[in-house]
């Protein structure tokens, strides 16, 4: 028996290092494709970056023109016996190379923005994090207790869940205009959209998690003299805690997906404002950097929370499977 | 219900020592009394009489086993006694008071693992005393005492998932007994254990029962287990669950596995077999089962590919 489990453990360990390898590869693969498209001119590069205008009067150094247009101007110039323009194959402006995005990412944090009316990257992301934090906090303060109570007491569940089922189909952004009318144009409506987007799912998901708690555990607690409210605080809550924590991690991810829409409501702020401003100035390297920061923060917090969960719930067996 | 005395079977014969013991037990006060107890489940498919007109009583420090075919209402009975289910007729009295909801005066050990996975072994056992309002220190002292008694002191800080099945059930027993219940209700507590562990647990349970003042109602579907453990065996029959017979086990105490082949043991077992798998009525039962939906096996293999 123990020999088998040791064998299994060995397999699992080997399995976990292989899994890490696959995990890294899953990031390297898209990066590799991006590098290939960016650095090997023969793969795509539909544009030409002008290095010498030659005789073409509307060309400028640093201008991006279509390959076909460049070819036809070359033909025109050689027929007209004018100096020939020169250029190198390039990708469209909306696809910067990896090193440019990396540079932009570094610049964003190291240097203040070039234009006076564009926000700095750290300030923008900090503002976004605050919106997420308050939105998720408000949603959780209502949603977690309501979910647990709905899952524990069937009558409460039956009373609110049908309405919540209905409400969760209403797209949160649809409440944007209303939120602005009620809460003004600053952070209020943005937080409200995150709350609306998260809360209703939260109640249903947590109620469901609560219902899945083993009935034997509750019955055992009853035979040990647990009653009423203490059944909730001493048995139901600790019993579902690891699953509740997992639910919250997933819901936090959802909150992030509502962020961009939320930040467009009223006066645009946060990372969304940063991204839209940079796109307006055609600084697409900064746009990519901004998008990536969202990904890095979202994914990073989830990894951290997963690690923390293992510490917090040493008895939780489902973690071993993930 | 009892067979005629002229053909008095061996299982009804008691040695003087055994008889004296039963007389002594009957002198003790009645802990649990069940009178005309009935339970009817109302489901979408209709009404099910799970139990009908159950009568028996258990004296202090008696060990009574309940046995019967699957679905005869054993779990329903014990759940009613634990207060986890309501009965629909009759009365169930604990120390003369009607049972109304679960309480610490009745401990319960479930078949499945019912330990709190988020608590260590010690804190699982401390749970009852804490619910009673005992302070942390007192609860801890009591828990340590009971863990010692079930031989798990070394594992007090382990989580339930780190224990074997047998160890978990020992913790469950300690957790129930720490409350000093009047009666310990056990629903196939060793059903999920392998034969060897099960035998150890049976001896262990009897050891505990000998040393402390507790009355036990023990459900099992294992005939040997019932005879080995019980003073009396309550045999139920299904559809609806009714008392078939309440057998006084003539095997003398102290019990040991060597008695498995003693004449009293074999006679009792023969009687139980007769009650639970009545050979004479087999054909009639088959016809009955046909109606109740016996699985019809379809052959999935080639006729030439027989295994027997
Ligand atoms: N909650 C319920 N609702 C409806 N019917 C039920 C319910 N619980 C049990 N029953 C029915 O009551 C009868 C007795 O069930 P019970 O679980 O008490 O049997 P059992 O003797 O413990 O069986 P087993 O040996 O398989 O554990 C069965 O016919 C079952 O279908
Ligand atoms: Mg049962």
């Amino acid at each position: 028996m123990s020999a088998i489990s040791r064998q299994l453990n060995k397999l699992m360990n080997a399995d976990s290092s292989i899994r890490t390898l696959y995990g890294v590869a899953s990031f390297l693969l898209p990066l590799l494709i991006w590098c290939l498209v960016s650095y090997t001119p023969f793969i795509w590069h539909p544009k030409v970056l002008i290095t010498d205008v030659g005789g073409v009067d509307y060309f400028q150094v640093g201008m991006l023109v279509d390959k076909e247009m460049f070819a036809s101007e070359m033909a025109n110039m050689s027929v007209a016996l004018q100096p020939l323009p020169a250029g190198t194959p390039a990708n469209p402006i909306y696809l910067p190379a990896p090193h440019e995005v990396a540079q932009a990412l570094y610049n964003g944090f190291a240097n203040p923005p070039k234009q006076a009316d564009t926000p700095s990257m750290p300030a923008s992301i900090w503002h976004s994090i605050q919106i997420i934090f308050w939105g998720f906090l408000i949603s959780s303060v209502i949603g977690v207790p309501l979910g647990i109570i709905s899952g524990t007491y069937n009558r409460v569940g039956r009373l609110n869940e049908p309405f919540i089922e209905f409400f969760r189909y209403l797209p949160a952004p649809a409440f944007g205009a209303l939120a602005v009318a009620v809460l003004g144009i600053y952070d209020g409506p943005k937080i409200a959209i995150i709350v609306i987007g998260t809360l209703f799912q939260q109640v249903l998901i947590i109620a469901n998690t609560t219902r899945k708690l083993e009935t034997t555990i509750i019955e055992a607690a009853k035979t040990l003299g647990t009653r009423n409210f203490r059944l909730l605080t001493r048995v139901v809550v600790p019993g579902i805690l690891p699953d509740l924590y997992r639910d919250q991690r997933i819901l936090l991810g959802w909150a992030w997906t509502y962020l961009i829409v939320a930040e467009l409501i009223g006066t645009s702020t946060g990372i969304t404002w940063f991204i839209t401003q940079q796109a307006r100035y055609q600084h697409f390297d900064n746009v990519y950097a901004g998008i990536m920061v969202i990904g890095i923060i979202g994914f990073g917090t989830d990894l951290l929370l997963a690690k923390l969960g293992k510490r917090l719930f040493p008895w939780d067996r489902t973690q071993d499977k993930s | 219900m009892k067979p005629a005395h002229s053909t008095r079977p061996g299982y009804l014969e008691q040695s003087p020592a055994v008889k004296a013991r039963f007389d002594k037990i009957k002198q003790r006060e009645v802990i649990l009394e069940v009178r005309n107890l009935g339970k009817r489940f109302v489901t979408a498919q209709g009404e099910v009489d799970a139990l009908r007109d159950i009568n028996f009583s258990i004296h202090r420090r008696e060990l009574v086993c309940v046995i019967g075919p699957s679905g005869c209402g054993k779990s329903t009975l014990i759940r009613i006694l634990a207060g986890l289910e309501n009965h629909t007729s009759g009365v169930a009295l604990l120390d003369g008071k009607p049972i109304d909801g679960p309480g610490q005066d009745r401990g319960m050990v479930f078949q499945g693992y019912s330990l709190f996975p988020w608590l260590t072994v010690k804190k699982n056992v401390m749970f009852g005393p804490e619910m009673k309002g005992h302070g942390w220190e007192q609860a801890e002292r009591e828990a340590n005492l009971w863990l010692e008694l079930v031989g798990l002191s070394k594992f007090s800080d382990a989580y339930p998932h780190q224990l074997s099945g047998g160890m978990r059930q020992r913790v469950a027993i300690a957790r129930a007994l720490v409350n000093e219940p009047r009666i310990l209700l056990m629903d196939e507590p060793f059903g999920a254990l392998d034969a060897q562990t099960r035998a150890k647990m049976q001896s262990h349970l009897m050891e505990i029962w000998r040393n402390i003042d507790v009355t036990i109602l023990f459900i099992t579907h294992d005939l040997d287990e019932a005879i080995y453990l019980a003073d009396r065996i309550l045999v139920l029959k299904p559809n609806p669950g009714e008392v078939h017979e309440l057998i006084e086990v003539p095997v003398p105490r102290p019990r040991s596995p060597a008695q498995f082949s003693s004449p009293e043991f074999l006679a009792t077992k023969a009687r139980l077999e007769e009650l639970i798998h009545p050979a004479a009525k087999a054909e009639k039962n088959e016809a009955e089962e046909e109606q109740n939906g016996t699985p019809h096996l379809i052959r999935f293999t080639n006729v030439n590919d027989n295994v027997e």
Side-chain angles (χ1 to χ4, degrees), chain A residues 48-54 59-63 70 84-89:
Chain A
V48 176
L49 180 69
I50 307 296
T51 52
D52 182 356
V53 294
F59 275 10
Q60 280 168 6
V61 174
M63 193 181 188
F70 186 76
L84 293 180
T88 52

Side-chain angles (χ1 to χ4, degrees), chain B residues 11-302:
Chain B
Y11 79 98
L12 287 176
E13 268 159 37
Q14 294 175 355
S15 68
V18 171
K19 191 159 172 24
R21 195 184 128 72
F22 275 116
D23 288 340
K24 213 174 90 192
I25 288 175
K26 282 167 201 161
Q27 297 294 307
R28 298 201 199 115
E29 72 265 34
V30 170
I31 294 269
L32 182 80
E33 190 178 357
V34 171
R35 262 190 270 134
N36 308 323
L37 191 81
K39 171 72 183 179
R40 171 172 291 178
F41 285 110
V42 183
T43 63
Q45 287 80 38
E47 295 183 345
V48 184
D49 263 321
L51 294 172
R52 185 191 287 171
D53 210 17
I54 306 283
N55 285 289
F56 68 96
S57 50
I58 300 181
H59 297 266
R60 189 172 66 79
R61 294 200 69 185
E62 217 184 344
L63 204 166
V64 174
C65 282
V66 182
I67 205 162
S70 182
C72 70
K74 304 185 291 295
S75 295
T76 307
L77 174 65
I78 210 163
R79 285 171 57 79
I80 290 171
L81 299 178
L84 296 170
E85 199 99 61
N86 294 318
H87 51 278
T88 42
S89 58
V91 278
L93 305 168
L94 185 81
D95 289 321
K97 289 186 290 287
I99 287 170
D100 177 27
Q104 291 202 323
D105 48 5
R106 285 147 290 144
M108 175 103 169
V109 177
F110 299 81
Q111 171 173 14
Y113 300 133
S114 62
L115 296 179
F116 305 127
W118 63 92
L119 296 178
T120 60
V121 165
K122 183 159 73 184
K123 286 184 183 156
N124 260 284
V125 182
M126 284 167 66
F127 191 88
E130 279 185 60
M131 286 298 129
K132 228 188 252 179
H134 291 182
W136 176 273
E137 269 168 37
Q138 191 187 347
E140 190 175 25
R141 222 175 312 122
E142 290 172 53
N144 283 336
L145 191 80
W146 281 96
L147 284 176
E148 180 92 46
L149 203 105
V150 296
L152 286 176
S153 295
K154 268 196 289 180
F155 294 90
S156 11
D157 294 322
Y159 283 103
H161 76 255
Q162 295 167 309
L163 305 184
S164 72
M167 286 155 106
R168 287 186 215 187
Q169 287 308 67
R170 276 193 274 166
V171 178
I173 292 171
R175 185 179 66 170
L177 287 180
V178 70
N179 287 329
E180 296 177 9
R182 296 291 284 159
I183 188 165
L184 182 63
L185 306 167
M186 307 179 87
D187 189 355
E188 301 199 29
F190 310 146
L193 305 177
D194 61 276
Q196 222 174 349
T197 315
R198 176 190 275 240
K200 268 193 216 146
M201 292 293 290
Q202 290 164 352
S203 311
H204 195 72
L205 178 70
M206 280 205 285
E207 188 66 35
I208 292 172
W209 173 67
R210 251 198 300 280
N211 288 313
I212 63 159
D213 178 3
V214 69
T215 311
I216 299 179
L217 183 67
F218 188 105
I219 290 185
T220 178
H221 60 248
D222 180 336
L223 306 186
D224 288 325
E225 185 170 64
I227 304 166
Y228 182 52
L229 293 176
D231 288 317
R232 288 187 296 158
I233 301 175
L234 182 73
V235 186
L236 296 183
K237 62 178 175 196
N239 305 318
E242 282 179 319
V243 178
H244 219 3
E245 188 171 345
L246 189 52
I247 297 177
E248 293 183 346
V249 180
V251 183
R253 290 191 188 269
R255 303 259 168 90
S256 75
Q259 289 167 314
F260 274 45
S261 49
S262 73
E264 301 93 347
F265 197 102
L266 293 176
T268 315
K269 189 166 179 186
R271 178 58 182 162
L272 288 177
E273 298 263 18
E274 192 179 299
L275 288 172
I276 290 175
H277 319 285
K281 291 192 212 148
E283 271 163 50
K284 184 179 155 251
N285 274 0
E286 243 166 58
E288 234 170 63
E289 273 180 26
E290 198 90 357
Q291 290 174 346
N292 295 346
T294 343
H296 290 278
L297 263 190
I298 300 164
R299 178 190 279 275
F300 288 108
T301 54
N302 192 303

